[in-house]
PDB file of all heavy atoms in Angstrom:
ATOM      1  N   THR A   1      43.391  63.076 110.233  1.00 56.00           N
ATOM      2  CA  THR A   1      42.378  62.484 111.103  1.00 56.00           C
ATOM      3  C   THR A   1      42.122  61.077 110.651  1.00 56.00           C
ATOM      4  O   THR A   1      42.416  60.685 109.515  1.00 56.00           O
ATOM      5  CB  THR A   1      41.056  63.290 111.016  1.00 56.00           C
ATOM      6  OG1 THR A   1      40.578  63.227 109.678  1.00 56.00           O
ATOM      7  CG2 THR A   1      41.236  64.707 111.458  1.00 56.00           C
ATOM      8  N   THR A   2      41.553  60.313 111.552  1.00 75.00           N
ATOM      9  CA  THR A   2      41.136  58.968 111.232  1.00 75.00           C
ATOM     10  C   THR A   2      39.649  59.040 110.930  1.00 75.00           C
ATOM     11  O   THR A   2      38.894  59.678 111.690  1.00 75.00           O
ATOM     12  CB  THR A   2      41.372  58.044 112.430  1.00 75.00           C
ATOM     13  OG1 THR A   2      42.762  58.070 112.731  1.00 75.00           O
ATOM     14  CG2 THR A   2      40.954  56.633 112.135  1.00 75.00           C
ATOM     15  N   ALA A   3      39.211  58.435 109.849  1.00 86.00           N
ATOM     16  CA  ALA A   3      37.800  58.431 109.518  1.00 86.00           C
ATOM     17  C   ALA A   3      37.020  57.771 110.668  1.00 86.00           C
ATOM     18  O   ALA A   3      37.490  56.821 111.267  1.00 86.00           O
ATOM     19  CB  ALA A   3      37.566  57.681 108.196  1.00 86.00           C
ATOM     20  N   ARG A   4      35.846  58.312 110.947  1.00 90.00           N
ATOM     21  CA  ARG A   4      35.030  57.828 112.031  1.00 90.00           C
ATOM     22  C   ARG A   4      33.594  57.636 111.546  1.00 90.00           C
ATOM     23  O   ARG A   4      33.078  58.447 110.795  1.00 90.00           O
ATOM     24  CB  ARG A   4      34.994  58.807 113.192  1.00 90.00           C
ATOM     25  CG  ARG A   4      36.363  58.996 113.831  1.00 90.00           C
ATOM     26  CD  ARG A   4      36.245  60.046 114.937  1.00 90.00           C
ATOM     27  NE  ARG A   4      37.562  60.266 115.499  1.00 90.00           N
ATOM     28  CZ  ARG A   4      37.955  59.682 116.630  1.00 90.00           C
ATOM     29  NH1 ARG A   4      37.165  58.884 117.282  1.00 90.00           N
ATOM     30  NH2 ARG A   4      39.161  59.920 117.107  1.00 90.00           N
ATOM     31  N   HIS A   5      32.967  56.583 112.060  1.00 93.00           N
ATOM     32  CA  HIS A   5      31.538  56.372 111.767  1.00 93.00           C
ATOM     33  C   HIS A   5      30.743  57.445 112.473  1.00 93.00           C
ATOM     34  O   HIS A   5      31.057  57.869 113.552  1.00 93.00           O
ATOM     35  CB  HIS A   5      31.126  54.983 112.213  1.00 93.00           C
ATOM     36  CG  HIS A   5      31.715  53.885 111.411  1.00 93.00           C
ATOM     37  ND1 HIS A   5      31.224  53.476 110.187  1.00 93.00           N
ATOM     38  CD2 HIS A   5      32.816  53.113 111.643  1.00 93.00           C
ATOM     39  CE1 HIS A   5      31.981  52.520 109.725  1.00 93.00           C
ATOM     40  NE2 HIS A   5      32.970  52.275 110.580  1.00 93.00           N
ATOM     41  N   CYS A   6      29.659  57.876 111.805  1.00 94.00           N
ATOM     42  CA  CYS A   6      28.799  58.875 112.402  1.00 94.00           C
ATOM     43  C   CYS A   6      27.375  58.687 111.877  1.00 94.00           C
ATOM     44  O   CYS A   6      27.138  57.890 110.966  1.00 94.00           O
ATOM     45  CB  CYS A   6      29.296  60.285 112.091  1.00 94.00           C
ATOM     46  SG  CYS A   6      29.224  60.725 110.328  1.00 94.00           S
ATOM     47  N   TRP A   7      26.451  59.445 112.427  1.00 94.00           N
ATOM     48  CA  TRP A   7      25.082  59.521 111.929  1.00 94.00           C
ATOM     49  C   TRP A   7      24.867  60.909 111.359  1.00 94.00           C
ATOM     50  O   TRP A   7      25.307  61.886 111.912  1.00 94.00           O
ATOM     51  CB  TRP A   7      24.080  59.293 113.063  1.00 94.00           C
ATOM     52  CG  TRP A   7      24.041  57.880 113.539  1.00 94.00           C
ATOM     53  CD1 TRP A   7      24.600  57.399 114.732  1.00 94.00           C
ATOM     54  CD2 TRP A   7      23.488  56.735 112.896  1.00 94.00           C
ATOM     55  NE1 TRP A   7      24.395  56.044 114.812  1.00 94.00           N
ATOM     56  CE2 TRP A   7      23.703  55.624 113.718  1.00 94.00           C
ATOM     57  CE3 TRP A   7      22.816  56.576 111.686  1.00 94.00           C
ATOM     58  CZ2 TRP A   7      23.279  54.356 113.354  1.00 94.00           C
ATOM     59  CZ3 TRP A   7      22.389  55.303 111.352  1.00 94.00           C
ATOM     60  CH2 TRP A   7      22.627  54.197 112.159  1.00 94.00           C
ATOM     61  N   VAL A   8      24.190  60.974 110.239  1.00 95.00           N
ATOM     62  CA  VAL A   8      23.854  62.209 109.566  1.00 95.00           C
ATOM     63  C   VAL A   8      22.333  62.384 109.691  1.00 95.00           C
ATOM     64  O   VAL A   8      21.581  61.494 109.364  1.00 95.00           O
ATOM     65  CB  VAL A   8      24.246  62.162 108.077  1.00 95.00           C
ATOM     66  CG1 VAL A   8      23.827  63.432 107.382  1.00 95.00           C
ATOM     67  CG2 VAL A   8      25.754  61.936 107.929  1.00 95.00           C
ATOM     68  N   SER A   9      21.901  63.551 110.191  1.00 93.00           N
ATOM     69  CA  SER A   9      20.471  63.806 110.333  1.00 93.00           C
ATOM     70  C   SER A   9      20.195  65.294 110.236  1.00 93.00           C
ATOM     71  O   SER A   9      21.119  66.101 110.266  1.00 93.00           O
ATOM     72  CB  SER A   9      19.936  63.264 111.662  1.00 93.00           C
ATOM     73  OG  SER A   9      20.604  63.872 112.747  1.00 93.00           O
ATOM     74  N   GLY A  10      18.912  65.644 110.137  1.00 92.00           N
ATOM     75  CA  GLY A  10      18.536  67.060 110.093  1.00 92.00           C
ATOM     76  C   GLY A  10      18.760  67.727 108.735  1.00 92.00           C
ATOM     77  O   GLY A  10      18.824  68.943 108.642  1.00 92.00           O
ATOM     78  N   LEU A  11      18.820  66.916 107.664  1.00 90.00           N
ATOM     79  CA  LEU A  11      19.025  67.491 106.317  1.00 90.00           C
ATOM     80  C   LEU A  11      17.668  67.667 105.627  1.00 90.00           C
ATOM     81  O   LEU A  11      16.889  66.725 105.564  1.00 90.00           O
ATOM     82  CB  LEU A  11      19.902  66.580 105.495  1.00 90.00           C
ATOM     83  CG  LEU A  11      21.286  66.269 106.050  1.00 90.00           C
ATOM     84  CD1 LEU A  11      22.002  65.253 105.187  1.00 90.00           C
ATOM     85  CD2 LEU A  11      22.088  67.532 106.185  1.00 90.00           C
ATOM     86  N   PRO A  12      17.373  68.837 105.115  1.00 88.00           N
ATOM     87  CA  PRO A  12      16.073  69.052 104.442  1.00 88.00           C
ATOM     88  C   PRO A  12      15.856  68.168 103.235  1.00 88.00           C
ATOM     89  O   PRO A  12      14.747  67.690 102.998  1.00 88.00           O
ATOM     90  CB  PRO A  12      16.068  70.508 104.080  1.00 88.00           C
ATOM     91  CG  PRO A  12      17.412  71.059 104.380  1.00 88.00           C
ATOM     92  CD  PRO A  12      18.189  70.009 105.123  1.00 88.00           C
ATOM     93  N   ASP A  13      16.928  67.911 102.463  1.00 86.00           N
ATOM     94  CA  ASP A  13      16.798  67.100 101.256  1.00 86.00           C
ATOM     95  C   ASP A  13      16.705  65.593 101.548  1.00 86.00           C
ATOM     96  O   ASP A  13      16.274  64.819 100.713  1.00 86.00           O
ATOM     97  CB  ASP A  13      17.967  67.335 100.315  1.00 86.00           C
ATOM     98  CG  ASP A  13      17.997  68.773  99.768  1.00 86.00           C
ATOM     99  OD1 ASP A  13      16.940  69.428  99.831  1.00 86.00           O
ATOM    100  OD2 ASP A  13      19.053  69.195  99.332  1.00 86.00           O
ATOM    101  N   HIS A  14      17.222  65.183 102.701  1.00 85.00           N
ATOM    102  CA  HIS A  14      17.242  63.769 103.070  1.00 85.00           C
ATOM    103  C   HIS A  14      16.792  63.606 104.521  1.00 85.00           C
ATOM    104  O   HIS A  14      17.618  63.381 105.397  1.00 85.00           O
ATOM    105  CB  HIS A  14      18.665  63.201 102.899  1.00 85.00           C
ATOM    106  CG  HIS A  14      19.197  63.341 101.530  1.00 85.00           C
ATOM    107  ND1 HIS A  14      20.268  64.128 101.231  1.00 85.00           N
ATOM    108  CD2 HIS A  14      18.790  62.818 100.355  1.00 85.00           C
ATOM    109  CE1 HIS A  14      20.494  64.071  99.921  1.00 85.00           C
ATOM    110  NE2 HIS A  14      19.625  63.277  99.375  1.00 85.00           N
ATOM    111  N   PRO A  15      15.479  63.742 104.771  1.00 88.00           N
ATOM    112  CA  PRO A  15      15.010  63.577 106.153  1.00 88.00           C
ATOM    113  C   PRO A  15      15.292  62.173 106.660  1.00 88.00           C
ATOM    114  O   PRO A  15      15.334  61.239 105.895  1.00 88.00           O
ATOM    115  CB  PRO A  15      13.506  63.855 106.041  1.00 88.00           C
ATOM    116  CG  PRO A  15      13.181  63.745 104.611  1.00 88.00           C
ATOM    117  CD  PRO A  15      14.414  63.978 103.813  1.00 88.00           C
ATOM    118  N   GLY A  16      15.533  62.086 107.923  1.00 89.00           N
ATOM    119  CA  GLY A  16      15.829  60.799 108.548  1.00 89.00           C
ATOM    120  C   GLY A  16      17.244  60.804 109.136  1.00 89.00           C
ATOM    121  O   GLY A  16      17.893  61.838 109.209  1.00 89.00           O
ATOM    122  N   ARG A  17      17.679  59.641 109.513  1.00 91.00           N
ATOM    123  CA  ARG A  17      18.998  59.437 110.120  1.00 91.00           C
ATOM    124  C   ARG A  17      19.745  58.443 109.259  1.00 91.00           C
ATOM    125  O   ARG A  17      19.275  57.328 109.063  1.00 91.00           O
ATOM    126  CB  ARG A  17      18.816  58.948 111.532  1.00 91.00           C
ATOM    127  CG  ARG A  17      20.069  58.914 112.366  1.00 91.00           C
ATOM    128  CD  ARG A  17      19.679  58.542 113.785  1.00 91.00           C
ATOM    129  NE  ARG A  17      20.818  58.630 114.657  1.00 91.00           N
ATOM    130  CZ  ARG A  17      21.106  57.701 115.561  1.00 91.00           C
ATOM    131  NH1 ARG A  17      20.342  56.671 115.748  1.00 91.00           N
ATOM    132  NH2 ARG A  17      22.169  57.879 116.335  1.00 91.00           N
ATOM    133  N   TRP A  18      20.900  58.843 108.763  1.00 91.00           N
ATOM    134  CA  TRP A  18      21.651  58.048 107.785  1.00 91.00           C
ATOM    135  C   TRP A  18      23.052  57.694 108.314  1.00 91.00           C
ATOM    136  O   TRP A  18      23.706  58.540 108.909  1.00 91.00           O
ATOM    137  CB  TRP A  18      21.761  58.799 106.465  1.00 91.00           C
ATOM    138  CG  TRP A  18      20.431  59.209 105.954  1.00 91.00           C
ATOM    139  CD1 TRP A  18      19.852  60.454 106.085  1.00 91.00           C
ATOM    140  CD2 TRP A  18      19.483  58.408 105.291  1.00 91.00           C
ATOM    141  NE1 TRP A  18      18.605  60.468 105.515  1.00 91.00           N
ATOM    142  CE2 TRP A  18      18.337  59.212 105.013  1.00 91.00           C
ATOM    143  CE3 TRP A  18      19.451  57.087 104.882  1.00 91.00           C
ATOM    144  CZ2 TRP A  18      17.222  58.738 104.370  1.00 91.00           C
ATOM    145  CZ3 TRP A  18      18.331  56.590 104.223  1.00 91.00           C
ATOM    146  CH2 TRP A  18      17.236  57.415 103.957  1.00 91.00           C
ATOM    147  N   PRO A  19      23.534  56.473 108.024  1.00 92.00           N
ATOM    148  CA  PRO A  19      24.893  56.130 108.447  1.00 92.00           C
ATOM    149  C   PRO A  19      25.913  56.853 107.560  1.00 92.00           C
ATOM    150  O   PRO A  19      25.700  57.017 106.360  1.00 92.00           O
ATOM    151  CB  PRO A  19      24.958  54.614 108.238  1.00 92.00           C
ATOM    152  CG  PRO A  19      23.927  54.343 107.186  1.00 92.00           C
ATOM    153  CD  PRO A  19      22.846  55.368 107.386  1.00 92.00           C
ATOM    154  N   GLY A  20      26.995  57.291 108.169  1.00 95.00           N
ATOM    155  CA  GLY A  20      28.024  57.974 107.410  1.00 95.00           C
ATOM    156  C   GLY A  20      29.420  57.732 107.905  1.00 95.00           C
ATOM    157  O   GLY A  20      29.617  57.064 108.950  1.00 95.00           O
ATOM    158  N   LEU A  21      30.368  58.253 107.198  1.00 95.00           N
ATOM    159  CA  LEU A  21      31.795  58.154 107.556  1.00 95.00           C
ATOM    160  C   LEU A  21      32.337  59.585 107.519  1.00 95.00           C
ATOM    161  O   LEU A  21      32.368  60.225 106.466  1.00 95.00           O
ATOM    162  CB  LEU A  21      32.534  57.265 106.580  1.00 95.00           C
ATOM    163  CG  LEU A  21      33.936  56.915 106.917  1.00 95.00           C
ATOM    164  CD1 LEU A  21      34.025  56.134 108.234  1.00 95.00           C
ATOM    165  CD2 LEU A  21      34.560  56.084 105.790  1.00 95.00           C
ATOM    166  N   LEU A  22      32.739  60.100 108.680  1.00 94.00           N
ATOM    167  CA  LEU A  22      33.296  61.422 108.793  1.00 94.00           C
ATOM    168  C   LEU A  22      34.774  61.367 108.398  1.00 94.00           C
ATOM    169  O   LEU A  22      35.564  60.618 108.974  1.00 94.00           O
ATOM    170  CB  LEU A  22      33.172  61.915 110.244  1.00 94.00           C
ATOM    171  CG  LEU A  22      33.817  63.240 110.579  1.00 94.00           C
ATOM    172  CD1 LEU A  22      33.170  64.379 109.774  1.00 94.00           C
ATOM    173  CD2 LEU A  22      33.728  63.518 112.062  1.00 94.00           C
ATOM    174  N   LEU A  23      35.131  62.122 107.360  1.00 94.00           N
ATOM    175  CA  LEU A  23      36.501  62.099 106.809  1.00 94.00           C
ATOM    176  C   LEU A  23      37.404  63.183 107.375  1.00 94.00           C
ATOM    177  O   LEU A  23      38.587  62.945 107.589  1.00 94.00           O
ATOM    178  CB  LEU A  23      36.436  62.190 105.291  1.00 94.00           C
ATOM    179  CG  LEU A  23      35.571  61.140 104.614  1.00 94.00           C
ATOM    180  CD1 LEU A  23      35.454  61.421 103.136  1.00 94.00           C
ATOM    181  CD2 LEU A  23      36.122  59.736 104.870  1.00 94.00           C
ATOM    182  N   GLU A  24      36.853  64.388 107.550  1.00 92.00           N
ATOM    183  CA  GLU A  24      37.689  65.489 108.060  1.00 92.00           C
ATOM    184  C   GLU A  24      36.793  66.640 108.517  1.00 92.00           C
ATOM    185  O   GLU A  24      35.592  66.668 108.205  1.00 92.00           O
ATOM    186  CB  GLU A  24      38.679  65.971 107.020  1.00 92.00           C
ATOM    187  CG  GLU A  24      38.053  66.581 105.778  1.00 92.00           C
ATOM    188  CD  GLU A  24      39.081  67.046 104.755  1.00 92.00           C
ATOM    189  OE1 GLU A  24      39.918  67.895 105.106  1.00 92.00           O
ATOM    190  OE2 GLU A  24      39.044  66.551 103.643  1.00 92.00           O
ATOM    191  N   TRP A  25      37.388  67.580 109.261  1.00 91.00           N
ATOM    192  CA  TRP A  25      36.687  68.729 109.752  1.00 91.00           C
ATOM    193  C   TRP A  25      37.336  69.994 109.173  1.00 91.00           C
ATOM    194  O   TRP A  25      38.537  70.008 108.871  1.00 91.00           O
ATOM    195  CB  TRP A  25      36.808  68.849 111.272  1.00 91.00           C
ATOM    196  CG  TRP A  25      35.980  67.901 112.037  1.00 91.00           C
ATOM    197  CD1 TRP A  25      36.412  66.780 112.693  1.00 91.00           C
ATOM    198  CD2 TRP A  25      34.571  67.963 112.266  1.00 91.00           C
ATOM    199  NE1 TRP A  25      35.360  66.155 113.302  1.00 91.00           N
ATOM    200  CE2 TRP A  25      34.227  66.859 113.046  1.00 91.00           C
ATOM    201  CE3 TRP A  25      33.565  68.833 111.871  1.00 91.00           C
ATOM    202  CZ2 TRP A  25      32.921  66.618 113.435  1.00 91.00           C
ATOM    203  CZ3 TRP A  25      32.291  68.602 112.269  1.00 91.00           C
ATOM    204  CH2 TRP A  25      31.944  67.500 113.063  1.00 91.00           C
ATOM    205  N   ARG A  26      36.554  71.056 109.086  1.00 90.00           N
ATOM    206  CA  ARG A  26      37.090  72.370 108.816  1.00 90.00           C
ATOM    207  C   ARG A  26      36.312  73.383 109.642  1.00 90.00           C
ATOM    208  O   ARG A  26      35.123  73.220 109.899  1.00 90.00           O
ATOM    209  CB  ARG A  26      37.053  72.738 107.329  1.00 90.00           C
ATOM    210  CG  ARG A  26      35.656  72.964 106.756  1.00 90.00           C
ATOM    211  CD  ARG A  26      35.728  73.320 105.298  1.00 90.00           C
ATOM    212  NE  ARG A  26      34.403  73.397 104.708  1.00 90.00           N
ATOM    213  CZ  ARG A  26      34.147  73.397 103.436  1.00 90.00           C
ATOM    214  NH1 ARG A  26      35.139  73.358 102.576  1.00 90.00           N
ATOM    215  NH2 ARG A  26      32.914  73.492 102.974  1.00 90.00           N
ATOM    216  N   LYS A  27      37.022  74.395 110.088  1.00 89.00           N
ATOM    217  CA  LYS A  27      36.418  75.458 110.909  1.00 89.00           C
ATOM    218  C   LYS A  27      36.092  76.594 109.980  1.00 89.00           C
ATOM    219  O   LYS A  27      36.981  77.224 109.371  1.00 89.00           O
ATOM    220  CB  LYS A  27      37.392  75.886 112.002  1.00 89.00           C
ATOM    221  CG  LYS A  27      36.760  76.682 113.070  1.00 89.00           C
ATOM    222  CD  LYS A  27      37.719  76.846 114.240  1.00 89.00           C
ATOM    223  CE  LYS A  27      37.022  77.435 115.442  1.00 89.00           C
ATOM    224  NZ  LYS A  27      37.905  77.530 116.591  1.00 89.00           N
ATOM    225  N   VAL A  28      34.810  76.902 109.839  1.00 90.00           N
ATOM    226  CA  VAL A  28      34.347  77.926 108.922  1.00 90.00           C
ATOM    227  C   VAL A  28      34.358  79.302 109.584  1.00 90.00           C
ATOM    228  O   VAL A  28      34.751  80.296 108.970  1.00 90.00           O
ATOM    229  CB  VAL A  28      32.924  77.603 108.401  1.00 90.00           C
ATOM    230  CG1 VAL A  28      32.425  78.637 107.431  1.00 90.00           C
ATOM    231  CG2 VAL A  28      32.922  76.226 107.750  1.00 90.00           C
ATOM    232  N   THR A  29      33.897  79.385 110.809  1.00 90.00           N
ATOM    233  CA  THR A  29      33.923  80.599 111.617  1.00 90.00           C
ATOM    234  C   THR A  29      34.384  80.167 113.011  1.00 90.00           C
ATOM    235  O   THR A  29      34.526  78.974 113.259  1.00 90.00           O
ATOM    236  CB  THR A  29      32.538  81.273 111.702  1.00 90.00           C
ATOM    237  OG1 THR A  29      31.684  80.431 112.503  1.00 90.00           O
ATOM    238  CG2 THR A  29      31.927  81.508 110.326  1.00 90.00           C
ATOM    239  N   PRO A  30      34.593  81.131 113.906  1.00 87.00           N
ATOM    240  CA  PRO A  30      35.025  80.716 115.256  1.00 87.00           C
ATOM    241  C   PRO A  30      34.068  79.751 115.955  1.00 87.00           C
ATOM    242  O   PRO A  30      34.474  79.000 116.822  1.00 87.00           O
ATOM    243  CB  PRO A  30      35.113  82.036 116.028  1.00 87.00           C
ATOM    244  CG  PRO A  30      35.416  83.058 114.965  1.00 87.00           C
ATOM    245  CD  PRO A  30      34.651  82.583 113.751  1.00 87.00           C
ATOM    246  N   THR A  31      32.793  79.734 115.547  1.00 88.00           N
ATOM    247  CA  THR A  31      31.838  78.846 116.224  1.00 88.00           C
ATOM    248  C   THR A  31      31.216  77.823 115.273  1.00 88.00           C
ATOM    249  O   THR A  31      30.425  76.989 115.742  1.00 88.00           O
ATOM    250  CB  THR A  31      30.694  79.663 116.848  1.00 88.00           C
ATOM    251  OG1 THR A  31      30.047  80.436 115.837  1.00 88.00           O
ATOM    252  CG2 THR A  31      31.210  80.582 117.930  1.00 88.00           C
ATOM    253  N   LEU A  32      31.532  77.822 114.003  1.00 89.00           N
ATOM    254  CA  LEU A  32      30.901  76.917 113.052  1.00 89.00           C
ATOM    255  C   LEU A  32      31.918  75.932 112.457  1.00 89.00           C
ATOM    256  O   LEU A  32      32.901  76.337 111.868  1.00 89.00           O
ATOM    257  CB  LEU A  32      30.223  77.661 111.908  1.00 89.00           C
ATOM    258  CG  LEU A  32      29.611  76.810 110.800  1.00 89.00           C
ATOM    259  CD1 LEU A  32      28.458  75.981 111.366  1.00 89.00           C
ATOM    260  CD2 LEU A  32      29.136  77.683 109.663  1.00 89.00           C
ATOM    261  N   TRP A  33      31.628  74.638 112.661  1.00 91.00           N
ATOM    262  CA  TRP A  33      32.439  73.583 112.106  1.00 91.00           C
ATOM    263  C   TRP A  33      31.658  72.871 111.036  1.00 91.00           C
ATOM    264  O   TRP A  33      30.422  72.730 111.130  1.00 91.00           O
ATOM    265  CB  TRP A  33      32.809  72.557 113.166  1.00 91.00           C
ATOM    266  CG  TRP A  33      33.866  73.030 114.104  1.00 91.00           C
ATOM    267  CD1 TRP A  33      33.676  73.769 115.231  1.00 91.00           C
ATOM    268  CD2 TRP A  33      35.244  72.762 114.038  1.00 91.00           C
ATOM    269  NE1 TRP A  33      34.868  74.017 115.853  1.00 91.00           N
ATOM    270  CE2 TRP A  33      35.871  73.383 115.145  1.00 91.00           C
ATOM    271  CE3 TRP A  33      36.050  72.055 113.145  1.00 91.00           C
ATOM    272  CZ2 TRP A  33      37.239  73.338 115.384  1.00 91.00           C
ATOM    273  CZ3 TRP A  33      37.406  72.007 113.378  1.00 91.00           C
ATOM    274  CH2 TRP A  33      37.978  72.644 114.489  1.00 91.00           C
ATOM    275  N   GLN A  34      32.343  72.393 110.006  1.00 92.00           N
ATOM    276  CA  GLN A  34      31.739  71.542 108.984  1.00 92.00           C
ATOM    277  C   GLN A  34      32.551  70.252 108.903  1.00 92.00           C
ATOM    278  O   GLN A  34      33.780  70.276 109.041  1.00 92.00           O
ATOM    279  CB  GLN A  34      31.734  72.221 107.619  1.00 92.00           C
ATOM    280  CG  GLN A  34      30.786  73.368 107.519  1.00 92.00           C
ATOM    281  CD  GLN A  34      30.797  73.983 106.113  1.00 92.00           C
ATOM    282  OE1 GLN A  34      31.809  73.943 105.422  1.00 92.00           O
ATOM    283  NE2 GLN A  34      29.702  74.565 105.725  1.00 92.00           N
ATOM    284  N   GLY A  35      31.863  69.162 108.651  1.00 93.00           N
ATOM    285  CA  GLY A  35      32.526  67.888 108.477  1.00 93.00           C
ATOM    286  C   GLY A  35      32.333  67.383 107.041  1.00 93.00           C
ATOM    287  O   GLY A  35      31.246  67.522 106.471  1.00 93.00           O
ATOM    288  N   ARG A  36      33.387  66.849 106.477  1.00 95.00           N
ATOM    289  CA  ARG A  36      33.281  66.218 105.174  1.00 95.00           C
ATOM    290  C   ARG A  36      32.891  64.763 105.416  1.00 95.00           C
ATOM    291  O   ARG A  36      33.614  64.015 106.069  1.00 95.00           O
ATOM    292  CB  ARG A  36      34.579  66.288 104.376  1.00 95.00           C
ATOM    293  CG  ARG A  36      34.379  65.875 102.901  1.00 95.00           C
ATOM    294  CD  ARG A  36      35.647  66.051 102.139  1.00 95.00           C
ATOM    295  NE  ARG A  36      36.554  64.978 102.526  1.00 95.00           N
ATOM    296  CZ  ARG A  36      37.344  64.338 101.703  1.00 95.00           C
ATOM    297  NH1 ARG A  36      37.460  64.655 100.468  1.00 95.00           N
ATOM    298  NH2 ARG A  36      38.099  63.361 102.140  1.00 95.00           N
ATOM    299  N   VAL A  37      31.723  64.414 104.887  1.00 95.00           N
ATOM    300  CA  VAL A  37      31.121  63.132 105.210  1.00 95.00           C
ATOM    301  C   VAL A  37      30.738  62.398 103.939  1.00 95.00           C
ATOM    302  O   VAL A  37      30.310  63.010 102.952  1.00 95.00           O
ATOM    303  CB  VAL A  37      29.835  63.344 106.055  1.00 95.00           C
ATOM    304  CG1 VAL A  37      29.221  62.043 106.450  1.00 95.00           C
ATOM    305  CG2 VAL A  37      30.148  64.184 107.272  1.00 95.00           C
ATOM    306  N   VAL A  38      30.895  61.086 103.987  1.00 96.00           N
ATOM    307  CA  VAL A  38      30.360  60.204 102.961  1.00 96.00           C
ATOM    308  C   VAL A  38      29.227  59.458 103.645  1.00 96.00           C
ATOM    309  O   VAL A  38      29.435  58.876 104.704  1.00 96.00           O
ATOM    310  CB  VAL A  38      31.405  59.222 102.431  1.00 96.00           C
ATOM    311  CG1 VAL A  38      30.810  58.287 101.416  1.00 96.00           C
ATOM    312  CG2 VAL A  38      32.559  59.996 101.825  1.00 96.00           C
TER     313      VAL A  38
END
């Protein structure tokens, strides 16, 4: 994948909206995806 800019939000430890870089995806269950983000 090509890294893409994204916004990270909804985190209990870091409330607010933060700039990020999405590095890759993984499918955890048939309906749940996780992204590796910096």
Side-chain angles (χ1 to χ4, degrees):
T1 61
T2 302
R4 296 178 182 262
H5 291 278
C6 66
W7 290 105
V8 177
S9 61
L11 302 175
D13 295 341
H14 302 114
R17 189 174 186 224
W18 305 99
L21 188 62
L22 175 63
L23 304 174
E24 64 180 301
W25 286 106
R26 68 179 174 195
K27 195 170 190 176
V28 180
T29 69
T31 59
L32 176 65
W33 286 85
Q34 290 181 331
R36 191 176 74 141
V37 182
V38 177

